[in-house]
Amino acid sequence: MSGVDNIARLPELRNKLLWTFALLAVYRMGIHIPIPGVDSAALSEFFAQAQNTLFGIFDMFSGGGLSKMSIFALGIMPYISASIILQLLTVVSPELKRLQKEEGEAGRKKITQYTRYGTVLITIVQGFAIATGLESMSSPTGAPMVLFSGIGFKLMTILTLTAGTVFLMWLGEQMTEKGIGNGISLIIYAGIIAGLPSALIKTVQLMTLGEISLFILIFLLVVMAATLAFIVFMERGQRRIPIHYAKRQHGRRMMGGQTTHLPLKINTAGVIPPIFASSILMFPATLAQFSNNEFLKDFSSFLSPDSIVYNLLFIGIIIFFCYFYTAIMFDPKGIAENIQKQGGFIPGIRPGNRTREHIDKVLARITLWGALYVSAVCVLPMVLISKFSVPFYFGGTSLLIVVGVAMDFMGQIESYLISRQYEGLMGKGNKLKGRR
C-alpha cells in the first residue's frame, strides 16, 4: 500500500483524481434523468426482450442510458463516430492532413472543432431517428412508448439528446485536460463497470432458476479469468528491436557506445479498434431498428450480434482499424531519422530508408497478430451468448475495454508518481533512485 499512500502526499495528483471521479459521478447521475414524454414502464418491458441484440450492445456502451432513455441515451458514441469520420478524411483530404501535420497545436484544435460539429450533426440525425422510432413502437404488452407524440416530442427529444451528448463530450475533455487519463475512454469504462453488478445478479438468478448449471457457471468463471490473463499478457507484450549507438566525441566527452531497444507493442491501437467497429456497426443498425421500412428491417436482421455476417464484418473492421490507427499513431520514417541523427543503427540494417522499411515490416507483422488477438477476444461474447445465454457484460469486448482503460489509467498514475520521485504503485521495484 506504500504506492497508494504516495498519492495522498501529492496534492496535485490527489486533486486530479478527485476531479476525475467527481465528473464520472456527474455522468452516472445524468444516466437516471429521463427524456420527457417517454413511458418508462413500457421501455423497461421492451429492453427486457432486447438484451442480447444490438440494443443491448448499444446500451452497454451508453452505460445503461439507452434502456432508461435518459439524456445520455446516445452516450459518447456520436463523438467517436465523428472522430472516425475525421480520421478517415484526414487520409484523403490534403487540407486536413496539413492541419494535422504542419499546423501543430493550432491544427489539432481546428480538427477537434470539426469533430465537435460532426458530433452535433450525428446526434441530431440519431435523435430524430430515435424520436420517430419511439413514436411507432410499443412494449410487448402493447403499451405505447410515447405518451404524447408529435412534432413537439421530436424537437424535445432531439434537443435533449444533443445537449446530453455535447455535455458528455465536454466532461470527457475536462477529464483529459484536468484529470487523469483519456476522458472519453473513462466514460465508456464507467458505463461498463456500472452494469457489472446487475449482470452478476442476473447470472445468479439464472442459476437459481436452473437455466445455468453450476458446472456452466464455473466454466464461465474460468473462461473469464483466462481471458483476463490473456488480455493482460497481450497488452504487455512487446517486440523489442535492438539499437546500437556508436561512440562519438562530443567536446571532451566520449558519448555513445551503448545498446538499447525500440519497444513495439503487439496491440499498438489499444481499445480503439473494437470501439470504432462497434460504433460503425451500431449506427446503421440503430436507425434500422427504429424504422418501419422493410428494407431496413431486413438489413438489421443481418446485423444481429449472433449472426455470421455481423461477426465477419466486426472482425474485418477491427483488423482494418488496428492497421489504420497504428499507421496514424506510429511514424517509422520519423523514428528512423531520429535514430540516424543520434548515431544509432539496428544491427545488420543500414541506417535511413532501410531502417524505416525494417521497422515498418516488423510493425506490420506484429499488428496482424495484435488484430487477430483483439478480434478473437471481441468475438468471444457472441459465442457465450449464443451457447450459454450469459449477459453481454461477461464478453471479451467489455473485458478488453475495462482492462485496457484500467491499465492505461494506472500507468499514468504510475508515471506521475515516478516523475515526482515517489515510489510507484507497483511497489519498491519501481522506486526511482536518487535524491528525493
Side-chain angles (χ1 to χ4, degrees):
M1 295 296 293
S2 59
V4 179
D5 292 339
N6 287 330
I7 296 177
R9 302 178 189 176
L10 291 173
E12 185 180 353
L13 178 58
R14 186 175 64 247
N15 292 337
K16 284 179 175 291
L17 290 173
L18 291 176
W19 178 256
T20 300
F21 295 145
L23 293 182
L24 288 176
V26 171
Y27 158 60
R28 293 309 305 167
M29 286 188 291
I31 288 293
H32 301 283
I33 303 176
I35 294 174
V38 179
D39 188 345
S40 58
L43 192 69
S44 299
E45 291 180 12
F46 173 79
F47 271 95
Q49 305 292 327
Q51 290 182 353
N52 292 337
T53 64
L54 281 169
F55 282 105
I57 304 175
F58 198 102
D59 191 45
M60 181 191 73
F61 281 107
S62 65
L66 186 63
S67 59
K68 297 179 176 64
M69 202 51 68
S70 72
I71 59 174
F72 296 152
L74 293 178
I76 204 66
M77 299 310 287
Y79 179 81
I80 295 176
S81 300
S83 301
I84 295 172
I85 295 172
L86 259 295
Q87 289 184 358
L88 291 173
L89 289 177
T90 302
V91 179
V92 299
S93 172
E95 179 63 22
L96 289 176
K97 197 169 187 179
R98 183 185 62 81
L99 284 175
Q100 188 182 47
K101 294 268 178 107
E102 299 176 7
E103 297 292 332
E105 185 65 25
R108 284 190 291 271
K109 287 183 178 180
K110 201 72 174 176
I111 292 179
T112 301
Q113 187 178 8
Y114 292 155
T115 306
R116 292 169 181 165
Y117 293 152
T119 302
V120 173
L121 182 61
I122 292 173
T123 306
I124 291 173
V125 173
Q126 289 185 332
F128 177 78
I130 289 177
T132 305
L134 285 173
E135 289 181 334
S136 61
M137 292 170 63
S138 60
S139 68
T141 58
M145 293 284 186
V146 180
L147 300 177
F148 303 99
S149 60
I151 187 66
F153 173 75
K154 287 186 177 68
L155 291 176
M156 177 62 71
T157 302
I158 293 172
L159 180 62
T160 304
L161 291 177
T162 302
T165 299
V166 170
F167 182 69
L168 267 187
M169 181 175 60
W170 179 82
L171 283 181
E173 291 176 354
Q174 291 299 307
M175 277 187 271
T176 303
E177 181 181 350
K178 300 180 181 179
I180 296 288
N182 187 334
I184 303 300
S185 299
L186 286 176
I187 288 175
I188 299 176
Y189 171 88
I192 296 175
I193 289 295
L196 286 177
S198 61
L200 290 172
I201 293 173
K202 181 185 175 184
T203 304
V204 174
Q205 291 175 346
L206 290 174
M207 188 183 70
T208 305
L209 295 173
E211 296 185 21
I212 295 181
S213 64
L214 180 61
F215 174 77
I216 295 297
L217 183 61
I218 294 175
F219 172 75
L220 291 175
L221 292 175
V222 172
V223 170
M224 285 179 60
T227 304
L228 183 64
F230 180 62
I231 291 173
V232 174
F233 175 77
M234 294 298 290
E235 291 296 324
R236 293 288 186 184
Q238 295 178 348
R239 167 68 189 275
R240 298 183 175 183
I241 300 178
I243 300 176
H244 292 180
Y245 289 93
K247 291 184 179 180
R248 64 183 188 277
Q249 190 77 24
H250 186 74
R252 294 184 176 182
R253 298 178 59 186
M254 181 67 69
M255 302 181 64
Q258 60 181 356
T259 301
T260 182
H261 63 269
L262 174 67
L264 300 179
K265 287 189 64 176
I266 295 178
N267 182 25
T268 307
V271 300
I272 298 298
I275 294 176
F276 279 10
S278 300
S279 178
I280 289 175
L281 289 177
M282 284 189 294
F283 180 71
T286 303
L287 297 181
Q289 290 278 4
F290 282 108
S291 173
N292 290 324
N293 187 282
E294 289 300 326
F295 173 76
L296 290 178
K297 290 290 184 182
D298 294 338
F299 176 75
S300 177
S301 64
F302 282 106
L303 289 180
S304 59
D306 57 350
S307 68
I308 297 178
V309 176
Y310 178 91
N311 285 286
L312 290 177
L313 286 174
F314 195 41
I315 292 173
I317 297 174
I318 285 176
I319 293 175
F320 169 76
F321 274 110
C322 280
Y323 278 99
F324 178 77
Y325 203 75
T326 299
I328 292 178
M329 299 297 295
F330 205 90
D331 183 16
K333 182 179 179 181
I335 293 176
E337 291 176 353
N338 289 333
I339 293 175
Q340 187 175 13
K341 288 178 182 178
Q342 296 173 8
F345 62 94
I346 299 174
I349 306 296
R350 295 182 61 181
N353 193 48
R354 291 291 181 87
T355 298
R356 179 193 64 78
E357 292 176 353
H358 178 73
I359 295 175
D360 196 34
K361 183 178 179 181
V362 173
L363 190 64
R365 287 179 175 178
I366 64 174
T367 300
L368 175 61
W369 289 106
L372 294 176
Y373 136 71
V374 174
S375 301
V377 169
C378 291
V379 170
L380 176 65
M382 313 307 172
V383 178
L384 296 179
I385 289 172
S386 60
K387 297 296 183 183
F388 305 112
S389 300
V390 298
F392 188 79
Y393 290 92
F394 291 162
T397 307
S398 54
L399 278 178
L400 179 65
I401 294 174
V402 167
V403 174
V405 175
M407 290 174 64
D408 178 67
F409 182 77
M410 299 300 289
Q412 293 202 39
I413 297 178
E414 179 87 11
S415 300
Y416 198 96
L417 288 171
I418 293 177
S419 67
R420 296 300 188 276
Q421 298 189 356
Y422 275 88
E423 188 177 303
L425 287 173
M426 303 307 293
K428 295 183 179 180
N430 288 338
K431 185 175 181 180
L432 186 67
K433 296 182 179 180
R435 182 172 59 87
R436 285 186 177 271

